[in-house]
Amino acid sequence: MIEHLIIHNIGGIKNAELEFTGGLNVITGESGAGKSSVVRSLELLTGSRGSAKFIRAGEEKGTVEAEFSECTVMREILSTGRSRAKIDGISSGLNECSERVNSLVRIQSQFAQIELLEPQRQLAMLDSCLPEKIKRETIPEFQKIYDKASASTRELRAIKKRRNEIERKYSNAREIFELVKISKPESGLELRLETALSDVTHRISKRERAKESLDLLTGGLSERGLIGSTENNFETLYGFMNDDEAEKVRQSFEILYNSLKNLPDMNNDSDNILHDEIEARLGALRRLKRLSNIHDEGELSAYCDEIYKSLEWLEKSYPELEELSKRSLNEKKLANALAMEIRSERHKAAEILTLRVNKLLSELAMSGINFSINFTGLQKLRRDGADDVEFLLTDGTRTGRVDKIASGGELSRLLLALQLSLPEEWLPSSIVFDEVEAGLGGKAAVLSGLQLKELSKKCQVILVTHEASIAALGDTHILIQKTNDGAIMHNIEGSERVSEIARMLSGSPEMNEALEHAKTLLNMS
């Protein structure tokens, strides 16, 4: 619980120290004295967004320090808008500070009341009423299985997505593999193939021209050619030569003919074969570049390695996909079965909670209003189960959400009834109420005060109030008074407390009737 609170330069408070006790602590004072500044200070500790507007006019910084039974927490706000927090004197993040304080104290201002009635908070309230076995075993087991099922679903989705991407991206993989096999891509390959093709094409052309010339000279396989014709023309000239000269000419023709016949085989197809191989490889490489839209051979080689690895993974992933699908299905079935068990117990707990709350509402002068809990089954599991719950009120003519049906005073009493109906484990060590009696009066205010007193037996209650009948019930009474230099506050008792109750009753601390009434209220408490 909160034992000690120190406030410097927050709202209308310059310097203040408050001592709290267990039970019901009431804070009173005239309007504008600074009561709400106490609540704002506590809200800052719970993580409320701090800004320069919270700092007292003319000051550079404001601080709040609360000493709890468990720890001491401090938050400081600078006029620049920055802030810092400490837990037990050690600097900490605002989130850590907020989490720590929120586990110790709950503030129920009008805004916090609406927050308390959010669907998730309502479900948490209902779940606090479940049997211990469900809370300590079934729900944790469900959440464990749900987390596993969610992880399996995400993994399954990721595998399917990657498989689809690979299948779509490499739909022409078969052709690509054939082209890779033919082209054998490597850095600079296209230029080398173009050069090699040009060289072999030139050799083939040169060989073909040489063969044409040789065939013209020798006549090929069926004709004599130019050499044979020329030799025949020399036959008429031999008659004008002596035998030695004629023989020399004949030998020259024979030597020339044999030399031409002994030239390398002009029908060698090795260059043609090489040409076809290079041309096929070059064509495959260019086709591969078009299909992959990659023009750098080094990148193309890496791309081909990626294809191999991707398709290898695709083949290996299928058994994993089947196994994961079976596991995911089993996890979902188990999670669903546990969710149905929790749902059944929630319906039972809702009946009990409804009876408790309606009994208290009747005692709080709200017998004409009926509280109920509506269930909506979810089509898809969440980590908190398969149910949405909604707190409803019926006023005899209409039924609707509590914040749509209840007035401000009725909402305060409903929340008070809920706090009293829920298990003590739901309650923090301290609850702060900011004028929850607003809109109440007479019997309703008295009954609310008695229930606040009852709640204070379960946890520390700090109440900012304008209602004398409620203030008289306090175990500790803190008075806030406005001064020219801010506000002063101190614990009051005895005659000073009688005067304050009288002021709350009549506006004057000196009226005899009011003083007598105040004494009566204090004696009754």
Side-chain angles (χ1 to χ4, degrees), residues 328-455:
S328 176
L329 181 60
N330 290 334
E331 288 168 346
K332 287 179 179 178
K333 286 181 178 179
L334 180 55
N336 190 66
L338 290 170
M340 293 305 101
E341 183 181 352
I342 294 169
R343 171 181 288 176
S344 175
E345 294 296 333
R346 279 174 174 164
H347 278 275
K348 296 175 186 177
E351 292 179 9
I352 297 171
L353 180 60
T354 298
L355 290 173
R356 290 176 182 168
V357 171
N358 282 322
K359 182 177 183 298
L360 285 168
L361 290 180
S362 178
E363 295 172 1
L364 290 169
M366 288 178 63
S367 56
I369 292 180
N370 189 63
F371 171 79
S372 62
I373 300 175
N374 182 60
F375 280 84
T376 301
L378 302 176
Q379 296 299 316
K380 185 178 180 181
L381 293 181
R382 291 192 312 231
R383 197 171 188 274
D384 55 16
D387 309 294
D388 262 338
V389 302
E390 187 175 32
F391 291 177
L392 303 177
L393 287 180
T394 302
D395 62 4
T397 60
R398 58 196 178 121
T399 299
R401 284 170 34 183
V402 294
D403 53 331
K404 298 298 183 182
I405 299 295
S407 64
E410 290 169 338
L411 185 58
S412 297
R413 282 177 280 170
L414 170 61
L415 287 169
L416 182 56
L418 281 167
Q419 300 282 15
L420 289 164
S421 300
L422 297 173
E424 288 192 26
E425 65 186 53
W426 167 261
L427 300 174
S429 57
S430 302
I431 299 182
V432 180
F433 292 92
D434 185 11
E435 299 183 10
V436 295
E437 82 284 356
L440 300 182
K443 181 181 178 182
V446 173
L447 291 173
S448 295
L450 292 173
Q451 295 299 343
L452 284 166
K453 185 74 171 181
E454 188 66 26
L455 180 61

Side-chain angles (χ1 to χ4, degrees), residues 462-497:
I462 298 173
L463 172 67
V464 174
T465 182
H466 284 285
E467 180 60 43
S469 61
I470 296 178
L473 297 170
D475 299 301
T476 299
H477 192 149
I478 299 171
L479 174 63
I480 298 182
Q481 295 172 304
K482 190 173 183 179
T483 68
N484 292 332
D485 195 28
I488 59 172
M489 53 191 73
H490 60 283
N491 291 25
I492 60 174
E493 54 187 22
S495 59
E496 191 176 9
R497 188 178 185 192

Side-chain angles (χ1 to χ4, degrees), residues 192-231:
R192 293 200 300 274
L193 289 176
E194 288 173 344
T195 301
L197 185 64
S198 177
D199 290 345
V200 74
T201 300
H202 178 71
R203 289 201 305 272
I204 290 172
S205 177
K206 184 178 178 181
R207 182 183 291 277
E208 287 177 348
R209 290 197 302 273
K211 186 175 183 300
E212 289 174 358
S213 298
L214 182 62
D215 287 345
L216 182 63
L217 290 170
T218 63
L221 298 175
S222 58
E223 299 179 359
R224 289 180 57 80
L226 289 175
I227 294 175
S229 299
T230 302
E231 187 178 8

Side-chain angles (χ1 to χ4, degrees), residues 16-27:
E17 292 192 33
L18 289 79
E19 298 286 343
F20 297 105
T21 63
L24 180 59
N25 296 260
V26 297
I27 301 175

